């Protein structure tokens, strides 16, 4: 059995993929494309999923999760109580969890990421010795 990296207790990795930008035509814009911060993407995710009036567990889970990090421009790391994270996993399996604008949710990961699931983390694991914030299980 291969080892897993524990990033943070009671956390969930939401692996996103950017949707291709749809343009109605060629337009000249002096503004560069907007680069979103991880927290802005998390806030958008929370806002889109906050109105789960038909499922109080999911609404509570969204309200009680916190932004933990934004890894490699496509992994949103959130933290919350395990029951809330499980409610989000179930909502995603039922295809009722909405992705942030401009993204699609590829999959949800546990608080343990397999080194092959994210090449940069695998490289860090082999290149650096064990650190206090990454623990091997």
């Amino acid at each position: 059995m291969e080892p897993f990296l524990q990033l943070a207790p009671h956390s969930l990795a939401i692996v996103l993929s950017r949707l291709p930008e749809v343009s109605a035509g060629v337009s000249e814009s002096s503004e560069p494309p907007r680069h979103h911060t991880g927290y802005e993407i998390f806030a958008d995710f929370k806002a889109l999923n906050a109105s789960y009036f038909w499922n109080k567990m999911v609404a509570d889970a969204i309200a009680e999760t916190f932004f933990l990090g934004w890894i490699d421009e496509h992994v949103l790391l959130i933290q919350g109580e395990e029951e809330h994270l499980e409610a989000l996993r179930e909502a995603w399996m039922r295809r009722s969890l909405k992705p942030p604008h401009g993204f699609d949710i590829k999959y949800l990961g546990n608080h343990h990421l397999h080194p092959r699931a994210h090449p940069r983390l695998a490289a860090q694991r082999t290149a650096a010795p064990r650190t206090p914030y990454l623990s091997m299980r």
Side-chain angles (χ1 to χ4, degrees), residues 60-112:
D60 290 346
I62 290 294
E64 295 297 323
T65 56
F66 304 96
F67 177 73
L68 192 58
W70 179 237
I71 303 171
D72 201 27
E73 299 293 320
H74 72 277
V75 180
L76 185 61
L77 198 60
I78 63 173
Q79 190 169 32
E81 293 182 21
E82 193 55 42
E83 64 195 40
H84 295 140
L85 300 179
E86 187 59 34
L88 295 179
R89 286 183 198 101
E90 289 175 13
W92 180 73
M93 286 189 300
R94 288 191 309 264
R95 298 181 182 260
S96 60
L97 200 60
K98 298 174 188 170
H101 287 102
F103 291 91
D104 193 20
I105 299 174
K106 287 175 69 174
Y107 57 89
L108 300 184
N110 292 330
H111 61 278
H112 294 94

Side-chain angles (χ1 to χ4, degrees), residues 25-82:
V26 177
S27 65
E28 303 272 335
S29 175
S30 60
E31 293 186 31
R34 177 152 164 65
H35 180 77
H36 295 284
T37 66
Y39 187 79
E40 289 174 326
I41 293 168
F42 171 72
D44 188 42
F45 171 75
K46 256 184 121 159
L48 288 170
N49 289 288
S51 61
Y52 265 88
F53 57 88
W54 63 91
N55 189 334
K56 185 169 173 25
M57 285 178 57
V58 173
D60 290 346
I62 290 294
E64 295 297 323
T65 56
F66 304 96
F67 177 73
L68 192 58
W70 179 237
I71 303 171
D72 201 27
E73 299 293 320
H74 72 277
V75 180
L76 185 61
L77 198 60
I78 63 173
Q79 190 169 32
E81 293 182 21
E82 193 55 42

Side-chain angles (χ1 to χ4, degrees), residues 7-19:
L7 296 178
H10 306 291
S11 64
L12 180 66
I14 302 174
V15 181
L16 303 170
S17 63
R18 285 195 187 273
L19 296 175

Side-chain angles (χ1 to χ4, degrees), residues 4-9 112 130-137:
F4 288 79
L5 295 175
Q6 183 177 9
L7 296 178
H112 294 94
R130 209 179 214 191
T131 59
Y133 57 91
L134 290 176
S135 62
M136 299 294 284
R137 185 178 102 161

